[in-house]
Each structure stands twice: as structure tokens, then as C-alpha cells.
Amino acid sequence: DIQMTQSPSSLSASVGDRVTITCQASQDISNSLNWYQQKPGKAPKLLIYGASNLETGVPSRFSGSGSVTDFSFTISSLQPEDIATYYCQHYGNLLYTFGQGTKLEIK
Amino acid sequence: EVQLVESGGGLVKPGGSLRLSCVASGLTFNIYSMNWVRQAPGKGLEWVSSISNSGSSISYADSVKGRFTISRDNAKNSLFLQMNSLRAEDTAVYYCARRFCTGGDCYQDYWGQGTLVTVSS
């Protein structure tokens, strides 16, 4: 089974900071990697699919990159409304694996 | 507007059973694969099960294999999760989500609000 290792598990940053989260796959997954945002008490929201494609309606300060085993998710300028937990997700043929999540807080 | 509405959660004793439902509206249900994803209190997201649009292909997480059964009724725009032999570690909010694929990329783009399952004596 493919394992997804996400880091850090928590992160504190200031408004306006550039924030980066990483996700590493245990084997080659090409670009089969999505990123979700989840706010407390809410369902997850898709931000990035296929490693680097921005979902429609998602602000351009969010971006994703990477391939094979190493991926990153970046918020170019942190906003107060970005406070949430972020998850990477590998997708296969009807199979999915989430990373452990990164809880993002405002400093 | 796409809506996914889960129901069927509640309190059940260890070893008991529960059947979750998810009713979809605002989409052509029978052309999409569907998924169940759960989240234990204070924990991360865990994929549980997926079913293809026709119901012919199904997959499960190892943690629920042999105990949970996913199914769908396309005539009623409904997705189900039959959960048997429930354990305390199955306590979670259960979400149904649509699987959308484009250009080889697949993701869950629409999610329900979730239904809470609590397994406790």
C-alpha cells in the first residue's frame, strides 16, 4: 500500500507569510495528488488536483507542485481565512490515501 | 446546485450494525463513482470505500474490509454504507463524496455535511 507522509503536522505563521506544506509518497505516484482544506466542523474542500491544477474558484495564492514522490503545497501570502487543516491525498483506481494533515494557525 | 445529504448515524453498541444513506441531488448520479470518507473525533481524514457508477467495481480500506458493504441505488440517487461488527474505533463523522475525473485526474469535489456514528456501550 502507498503511504503518504505529510509535514509539518502543525504550523504557525503570520498574515502575509509564505507557507509551504510537503507530502511524500512511499512510491512513485506520478502526479496523482490532491490537496484539501478543512475548517472546523466543515467538510473538506478541494483546492488543488493533479498535483498542480487549481480548482475553479480557489484563490490564486494557493498552489501545488511536485511529481513522482515529492509534492508541495504553498500559500503565497497567508490570509486570516486560510486558518484550517490541510490534507494531501493520493488517488488510484477507486483507492485513496490521505496524509496526516497540517493544522495551520495564525501567529 | 449539487447536494449530498447523509443520514443514518447515531449511537450503537460495539458489535452492532448501522446503515448510512446519502441522497444526491443536482447531478446525474448514475455517471459518477461515489465514496465514503470518515473522520474520527480530533483526527484526520480516512478514506473508507468507493463504488463505481454502475456498482460493478468496489473497494474498501483494510480497516473496514469484511465488515462494511457499500452499495448504491441509481434509481433513487442514493448511496449506502452497511456497517456491521462495529468497533469503538469506527466512531467518526462519515462523509459521502462524489468522485470526479478529468484528464486522468480524480478527486472528490462535492461532499455531504457528514453524519456522526458513535460506537459505545
Side-chain angles (χ1 to χ4, degrees):
Chain A
D1 292 358
I2 295 174
Q3 308 299 321
M4 305 302 298
T5 303
Q6 187 176 338
S7 62
S9 57
S10 64
L11 179 56
S12 182
S14 300
V15 173
D17 282 355
R18 182 181 182 88
V19 171
T20 298
I21 299 167
T22 64
C23 190
Q24 186 170 57
S26 59
Q27 58 185 274
D28 184 352
I29 61 168
S30 184
N31 67 333
S32 302
L33 195 284
N34 304 322
W35 291 95
Y36 295 84
Q37 175 193 66
Q38 187 182 33
K39 296 184 177 181
K42 300 293 187 181
K45 175 187 176 182
L46 176 71
L47 299 180
I48 303 286
Y49 65 91
S52 61
N53 299 291
L54 192 67
E55 170 69 337
T56 302
V58 173
S60 59
R61 65 180 180 274
F62 296 101
S63 66
S65 65
S67 65
V68 186
T69 60
D70 295 302
F71 302 86
S72 63
F73 169 82
T74 298
I75 306 174
S76 60
S77 178
L78 185 66
Q79 300 302 303
E81 60 266 32
D82 299 336
I83 297 313
T85 300
Y86 293 84
Y87 296 91
C88 64
Q89 178 202 53
H90 162 59
Y91 57 92
N93 185 21
L94 290 186
L95 294 174
Y96 301 86
T97 305
F98 287 95
Q100 302 93 322
T102 297
K103 186 174 183 179
L104 182 53
E105 298 174 330
I106 292 284
K107 192 180 293 182
Chain B
E1 178 193 8
V2 174
Q3 279 197 315
L4 301 173
V5 180
E6 303 97 335
S7 62
L11 176 63
V12 61
K13 289 182 168 56
S17 298
L18 214 53
R19 189 189 195 215
L20 305 184
S21 300
C22 171
V23 177
S25 59
L27 75 163
T28 307
F29 184 72
N30 63 9
I31 67 172
Y32 295 106
S33 295
M34 297 294 294
N35 309 270
W36 288 100
V37 175
R38 70 184 181 183
Q39 186 169 38
K43 302 297 184 183
L45 300 169
E46 179 188 16
W47 168 77
V48 173
S49 182
S50 297
I51 185 168
S52 63
N53 63 315
S54 66
S56 61
S57 294
I58 285 173
S59 58
Y60 298 98
D62 288 344
S63 58
V64 306
K65 202 172 293 183
R67 300 186 299 122
F68 289 12
T69 302
I70 192 172
S71 62
R72 63 191 296 161
D73 183 341
N74 285 342
K76 295 183 178 180
N77 286 358
S78 295
L79 174 73
F80 305 102
L81 186 67
Q82 177 66 44
M83 304 186 295
N84 298 331
S85 303
L86 283 162
R87 307 165 180 167
E89 54 264 36
D90 295 318
T91 294
V93 173
Y94 286 74
Y95 296 99
C96 70
R98 181 182 85 161
R99 178 182 187 245
F100 185 82
C101 294
T102 178
D105 298 321
C106 296
Y107 46 82
Q108 286 99 20
D109 58 349
Y110 287 102
W111 297 67
Q113 84 288 351
T115 187
L116 175 63
V117 172
T118 303
V119 184
S120 174
S121 54

